């Protein structure tokens, strides 16, 4: 909840919405003295898996006594969780101090037509960079907000860059096909940084490979330069040219998280090599187990069984369905879904409808971008229902602790954020 004049001012910057481009953020950071260049950084882009990769990498490096800043988005629990050091969010007091420092600079930029309208995300990015400098972090791991090439985080001279996955998302802004989107993601590739890529299809990889070769960077590819080998007991083996670690386990549920953990391991090993650090296998094992990240196959309730998963685009929905088919084949499932209108909602619902054992409830939520139920009346069927009041729906669900069906609440991360607060009132 916004409680101060500083936070009110920050909230008002939402009116500038999404404005790709680096002119404003570069001008703001220059006025701050370019804090983002004062410490080593790791830059992570990709359609899905960015946040999980960031927290896996952070946990590994933190376990080796490093002070690690992380910048991720969007927030699920609270605005401050976007800016963390060793997993601890920036305090409200520290946030207000940073806003006080940055506000007059932004207002000065607003007077120039070339730099007016600095966005909320650009300001938050600058706050993170300055906060990490003020707190003397050993390194910062920075998640791209959208795309990469024109994202406000693309002002770094990183030690390592990573691209997790490439899929169709934010099509009106990033491009209508995989090569176009891959070009945006590949925009973070820098001569200063080795590049690690995740589970990316050949069409997008062609674009990334071409960019990497043009820039002249060392590249490490998923299942080629490093391998992630799942075992039947849920553990996995990681190996690259220098080491093999067997029997690893992830603290995050979801089969796709093994890929994110493997990518993070490769990033951590490369970072350590370049910074002349030694990583300990025992610390790595424990660090992977200790990772927590909300709304990623998160069991928010055991009785009744409720899982939150922010499958906010088609590729993420495909991975959710893979998990359902592997782990819950014989389970009756109720799926509560909502999304924002910029997403390919029809395709996501089409994927869910292919599951034979599910009841689908489509709902909406308090966000001007949320779907309009009237647009989906045609989908109403025996196994598809439209419910306007998701809060009443979830509250009724919680009154049935012995309910045999499991519930998966999915779709927009903004929707999941609202839902999570109902389960955990302290996060309101």
């Amino acid at each position: 909840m916004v409680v101060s004049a500083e936070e009110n001012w920050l909230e008002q910057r939402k009116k500038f919405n999404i404005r790709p481009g680096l002119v404003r953020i570069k001008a703001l950071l220059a006025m701050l003295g370019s804090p983002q260049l004062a410490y080593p950084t790791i830059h992570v882009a990709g359609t899905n898996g960015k946040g999980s990769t960031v927290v896996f990498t952070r946990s590994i490096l933190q376990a080796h006594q490093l002070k690690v800043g992380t910048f991720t988005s969007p927030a699920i629990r609270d605005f401050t969780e976007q800016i963390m050091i060793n997993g601890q969010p920036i305090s409200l007091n520290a946030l207000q101090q940073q806003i006080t420092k940055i506000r007059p600079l932004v207002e000065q930029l607003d007077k120039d037509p070339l730099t007016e309208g600095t966005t909320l995300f650009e300001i938050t990015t600058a706050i993170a960079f300055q906060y990490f400098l003020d707190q003397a972090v050993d390194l910062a791991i920075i998640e791209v907000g959208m795309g990469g090439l024109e994202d406000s985080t693309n002002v770094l001279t990183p030690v390592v860059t990573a691209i997790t996955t490439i899929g169709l998302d934010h099509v009106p802004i990033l491009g209508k096909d995989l090569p176009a989107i891959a070009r945006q993601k590949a925009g973070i590739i820098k001569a200063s940084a080795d590049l690690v890529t995740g589970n990316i299809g050949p069409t997008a990889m062609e674009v990334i490979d071409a960019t990497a070769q043009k820039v002249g960077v060392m590249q490490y590819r998923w299942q080629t330069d490093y391998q992630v080998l799942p075992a039947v007991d849920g553990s996995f083996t990681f190996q690259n040219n220098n080491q093999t670690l067997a029997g690893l386990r992830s603290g995050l549920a979801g089969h796709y998280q093994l890929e994110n953990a493997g990518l993070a391991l490769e990033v951590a090993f490369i970072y350590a090599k370049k910074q002349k650090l030694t990583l300990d296998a025992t610390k790595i094992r424990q660090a992977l187990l200790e990772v927590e990240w909300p709304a990623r196959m998160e069991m928010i309730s055991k009785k009744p069984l409720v899982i939150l998963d922010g499958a906010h685009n088609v590729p993420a929905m495909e991975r959710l369905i893979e998990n359902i088919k592997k782990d819950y084949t014989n389970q009756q499932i109720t799926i509560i879904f909502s999304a924002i209108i910029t997403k390919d909602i029809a395709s996501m619902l089409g994927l869910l409808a292919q599951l034979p054992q599910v009841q689908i409830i489509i709902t909406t939520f308090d966000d001007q971008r949320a779907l309009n139920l009237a647009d989906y009346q045609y989908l109403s069927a025996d196994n598809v229902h439209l419910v306007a009041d998701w809060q009443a729906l979830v509250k009724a669900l919680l009154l049935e602790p012995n309910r045999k069906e499991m519930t998966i609440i999915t779709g927009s991360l903004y929707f999941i954020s609202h839902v999570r607060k109902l389960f955990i009132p302290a996060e309101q």
Side-chain angles (χ1 to χ4, degrees):
M1 180 180 296
V2 175
V3 294
S4 69
E6 293 86 0
E7 290 169 281
N8 269 316
W9 174 81
L10 194 62
E11 183 77 9
Q12 291 168 11
R13 303 304 294 195
K14 283 183 177 180
K15 65 186 178 184
F16 296 109
N17 206 353
I18 298 170
R19 305 179 68 196
L22 301 179
V23 173
R24 294 174 300 277
I25 187 66
K26 284 185 174 179
L28 179 55
L29 291 172
M31 296 170 82
L32 289 167
S34 299
Q36 78 281 7
L37 303 180
Y39 40 80
T41 53
I42 295 170
H43 204 189
V44 182
T47 302
N48 293 310
K50 300 186 296 294
S52 299
T53 298
V54 167
V55 294
F56 276 123
T57 308
R58 186 267 301 162
S59 187
I60 293 166
L61 295 175
Q62 180 185 340
H64 292 81
Q65 288 72 55
L66 295 179
K67 189 175 183 179
V68 187
T70 54
F71 179 53
T72 58
S73 61
I76 300 296
R77 294 171 292 208
D78 182 82
F79 178 86
T80 59
E81 73 182 13
Q82 296 176 96
I83 304 169
M84 292 191 179
I85 294 178
N86 285 0
Q88 296 301 309
I90 185 173
S91 68
L92 282 176
N93 182 57
L95 175 63
Q96 290 164 9
Q97 289 176 0
Q98 292 295 334
I99 296 171
T100 299
K101 180 186 298 184
I102 285 176
R103 178 175 179 174
L105 305 181
V106 172
E107 291 174 344
Q108 183 176 337
L109 292 174
D110 280 343
K111 297 175 182 178
D112 186 337
L114 293 177
T115 55
E116 66 179 349
T118 307
T119 69
L120 172 62
F121 186 74
E122 290 167 338
I123 294 168
T124 308
T125 302
I127 288 173
F129 291 156
Q130 184 64 48
Y131 178 65
F132 295 151
L133 174 60
D134 292 346
Q135 296 298 312
V137 298
D138 294 310
L139 77 148
I141 310 173
I142 308 299
E143 176 189 351
V144 167
M146 182 190 302
L149 181 64
E150 295 187 300
D151 186 76
S152 64
T153 65
N154 198 24
V155 288
L156 305 170
T157 305
V159 177
V160 184
T161 56
I163 303 175
T164 58
T165 60
I166 303 290
L168 294 176
D169 196 17
H170 302 295
V171 170
I173 297 173
L174 301 182
K176 64 181 181 180
D177 55 31
L178 291 176
I181 291 174
R183 279 190 286 275
Q184 291 291 322
K185 309 293 186 187
I188 72 164
I189 296 173
K190 302 288 192 303
S192 64
D194 290 357
L195 170 66
V196 186
T197 49
N199 184 2
I200 299 172
T203 301
M205 274 305 300
E206 287 182 13
V207 175
I208 294 170
D209 288 343
T211 304
Q213 291 170 13
K214 182 179 179 180
V215 176
V217 301
M218 185 70 74
Q219 192 172 351
Y220 300 86
R221 299 171 182 83
W222 180 76
Q223 300 299 62
T224 300
D225 299 295
Y226 71 98
Q227 291 80 42
V228 178
L229 308 171
V232 294
D233 65 352
S235 68
F236 71 100
T237 295
F238 170 86
Q239 60 186 35
N240 60 19
N241 293 331
N242 300 310
Q243 57 264 312
T244 297
L245 297 175
L248 299 172
R249 292 187 179 275
S250 162
L252 299 181
H255 297 277
Y256 58 88
Q257 292 293 0
L258 304 188
E259 296 176 11
N260 295 331
L263 173 59
L265 277 163
E266 184 70 356
V267 168
F269 277 119
I270 292 169
Y271 179 84
K273 180 179 179 181
K274 295 184 76 171
Q275 299 296 101
K276 296 180 172 54
L277 304 171
T278 300
L279 300 186
D280 176 77
T282 300
K283 292 179 180 179
I284 288 172
R285 291 179 191 281
Q286 189 61 32
L288 294 177
L289 278 173
E290 290 176 353
V291 168
E292 297 180 356
W293 198 230
R296 278 72 173 180
M297 291 301 291
E298 179 186 18
M299 185 186 297
I300 198 73
S301 169
K302 291 184 178 180
K303 288 187 176 184
L305 178 57
V306 182
I307 290 175
L308 302 184
D309 189 68
H312 61 288
N313 54 36
V314 172
M317 189 61 72
E318 290 172 340
R319 301 311 293 268
L320 171 59
I321 289 170
E322 286 176 17
N323 279 315
I324 292 173
K325 288 180 176 178
K326 287 181 179 179
D327 295 339
Y328 305 108
T329 304
N330 300 316
Q331 178 80 50
Q332 291 299 308
I333 302 172
T334 296
I335 293 179
I336 302 174
F337 171 88
S338 194
I340 57 176
I341 57 176
T342 57
K343 301 294 183 173
D344 187 354
I345 295 172
S347 293
M348 288 192 279
L349 288 171
L351 289 168
L352 289 172
Q354 294 173 16
L355 293 168
Q357 79 276 28
V358 303
Q359 292 287 318
I360 300 171
I361 298 175
I362 306 170
T363 189
T364 190
F365 61 107
D366 186 18
D367 190 305
Q368 63 182 5
R369 302 163 297 173
L371 65 82
N372 185 342
L373 286 179
D375 295 334
Y376 298 92
Q377 291 287 348
Y378 70 95
L379 291 174
S380 184
D382 290 342
N383 68 326
V384 180
H385 312 277
L386 280 67
V387 177
D389 190 345
W390 69 265
Q391 292 185 339
L393 188 68
V394 173
K395 287 177 181 176
L397 175 70
L398 292 174
L399 294 175
E400 300 182 64
N402 297 320
R403 178 185 174 92
K404 292 182 179 180
E405 289 184 6
M406 72 178 295
T407 301
I408 298 176
I409 305 176
T410 188
S412 167
L413 285 166
Y414 301 103
F415 171 54
I416 299 299
S417 176
H418 285 277
V419 174
R420 204 173 188 279
K421 289 178 173 65
L422 199 62
F423 281 91
I424 308 176
E427 293 184 359
Q428 291 186 4

